[in-house]
């Protein structure tokens, strides 16, 4: 079985500051890991995903995440926050690419001018 | 690029009524997933289909049923609606090749309000 824990339901950063959203996973098999972003009243948009290979994954909008098996983590980072990054971010895990996603509770990112 | 289409986008129903939500996957995608996202909650998996057959089942109430048609679109049928069914319902599609690492692409969702 898979599960995801997102530390911090709400993170607030200043514009231009580092963004760090934490995600730890539990999986009985090698996991596939995803970060999705949800803007208000919109659907889920894929930011990036880890399947196999390189553990540092680059996504859209300047985001990246590093898969650390020893720490069972897949934290999302962005060097410099922009006002448009304010949204809800969900970390998700699946056993393969074709099984249902298990989502974390989400982290709401606020960016302060 | 074509995306997942869901209809309707908004739906208001009374308790005990029925509702049908439709999902049109990205062209060539053969796998459809349904998720339910309650207010302030994370999306919860309901059910999925691969090549018109149910592939996985999650926390879908017995009052709900779904199917995938020959053109790969899917419909979620909800009966005896309850207030607690008010939520955002997402459909996602992917290519379902066995052992592949395909991404699920989400539609914009249908917001259901049960009064």
């Amino acid at each position: 079985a898979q599960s995801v824990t997102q530390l911090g339901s709400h993170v607030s950063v200043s514009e231009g500051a580092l963004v760090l959203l934490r995600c730890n996973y539990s999986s009985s098999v090698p996991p596939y890991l995803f970060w999705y972003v949800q803007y208000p009243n919109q659907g889920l948009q894929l930011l990036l995903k880890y399947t196999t290979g390189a553990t540092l994954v680059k996504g859209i909008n300047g985001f990246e995440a590093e898969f650390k098996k020893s720490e069972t983590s897949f934290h999302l980072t962005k060097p410099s926050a922009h006002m448009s990054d304010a949204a809800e971010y969900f970390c998700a895990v699946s056993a393969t690419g074709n099984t249902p996603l298990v989502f974390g509770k989400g982290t709401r990112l606020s960016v302060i001018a | 690029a074509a995306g997942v289409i869901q209809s309707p986008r908004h739906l208001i129903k009374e308790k005990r009524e029925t509702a049908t939500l439709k999902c049109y996957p990205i062209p060539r995608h053969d796998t459809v997933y349904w998720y339910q996202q309650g207010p302030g909650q994370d999306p919860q998996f309901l059910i999925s289909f691969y090549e018109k057959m149910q592939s996985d089942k999650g926390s879908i109430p017995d009052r709900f049923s779904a199917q995938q048609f020959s053109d790969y679109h899917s419909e979620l049928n909800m009966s005896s609606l309850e207030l607690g069914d008010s939520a955002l319902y997402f459909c996602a599609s992917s290519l379902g090749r066995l052992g592949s690492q395909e991404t699920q692409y989400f539609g914009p969702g249908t917001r259901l309000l049960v009064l």
Side-chain angles (χ1 to χ4, degrees):
Chain A
Q2 287 78 38
S3 67
V4 170
T5 301
Q6 290 185 241
L7 299 175
S9 59
H10 184 207
V11 171
S12 185
V13 301
S14 298
E15 191 174 20
L18 171 71
V19 175
L20 171 60
L21 304 182
R22 300 178 187 273
C23 172
N24 288 89
Y25 70 90
S26 173
S27 179
S28 55
V29 297
Y32 293 169
L33 294 160
F34 306 81
W35 276 100
Y36 284 86
V37 61
Q38 185 177 31
Y39 297 99
N41 299 313
Q42 294 190 28
L44 295 161
Q45 180 182 9
L46 180 70
L47 277 177
L48 49 80
K49 66 178 180 180
Y50 168 79
T51 53
T52 58
T55 56
L56 182 61
V57 181
K58 294 187 182 299
I60 62 171
N61 302 338
F63 285 94
E64 63 182 37
E66 186 171 10
F67 171 63
K68 291 187 177 181
K69 184 178 179 180
S70 61
E71 299 178 7
T72 61
S73 69
F74 191 57
H75 302 330
L76 182 70
T77 61
K78 181 174 180 178
S80 177
H82 192 272
M83 296 297 289
S84 62
D85 294 327
E88 188 85 20
Y89 291 80
F90 290 96
C91 182
V93 64
S94 74
T96 73
N98 299 319
T99 54
L101 294 172
V102 176
F103 287 88
K105 295 297 183 185
T107 297
R108 183 162 61 91
L109 175 66
S110 297
V111 182
I112 303 168
Chain B
V4 177
I5 297 171
Q6 291 188 246
S7 68
R9 293 293 309 278
H10 302 273
L11 192 58
I12 300 175
K13 291 287 185 178
E14 300 279 342
K15 279 172 49 178
R16 293 179 289 278
E17 286 190 323
T18 61
T20 297
L21 309 185
K22 297 184 179 182
C23 170
Y24 298 87
I26 292 171
R28 297 191 301 114
H29 282 193
D30 50 15
T31 304
V32 168
Y33 306 81
W34 286 97
Y35 294 85
Q36 177 192 57
Q37 185 180 28
Q41 301 296 314
D42 55 299
Q44 294 289 320
F45 170 69
L46 293 178
I47 196 167
S48 62
F49 294 88
Y50 167 63
E51 281 292 344
K52 292 151 280 184
M53 299 289 289
Q54 180 182 307
S55 53
D56 282 288
K57 190 172 183 179
S59 52
I60 184 169
D62 292 340
R63 299 178 288 108
F64 294 6
S65 65
Q67 58 181 324
Q68 186 179 32
F69 294 86
S70 57
D71 64 351
Y72 296 106
H73 94 272
S74 178
E75 295 184 3
L76 178 66
N77 299 293
M78 311 161 71
S79 62
S80 303
L81 287 169
E82 301 174 356
L83 297 179
D85 295 328
S86 296
L88 192 55
Y89 290 83
F90 287 112
C91 171
S93 75
S94 71
L95 281 169
R97 290 189 295 268
L98 185 64
S100 67
Q101 305 160 2
E102 302 302 327
T103 299
Q104 294 180 30
Y105 293 92
F106 283 76
T110 294
R111 187 170 296 279
L112 172 66
L113 178 61
V114 181
L115 301 176

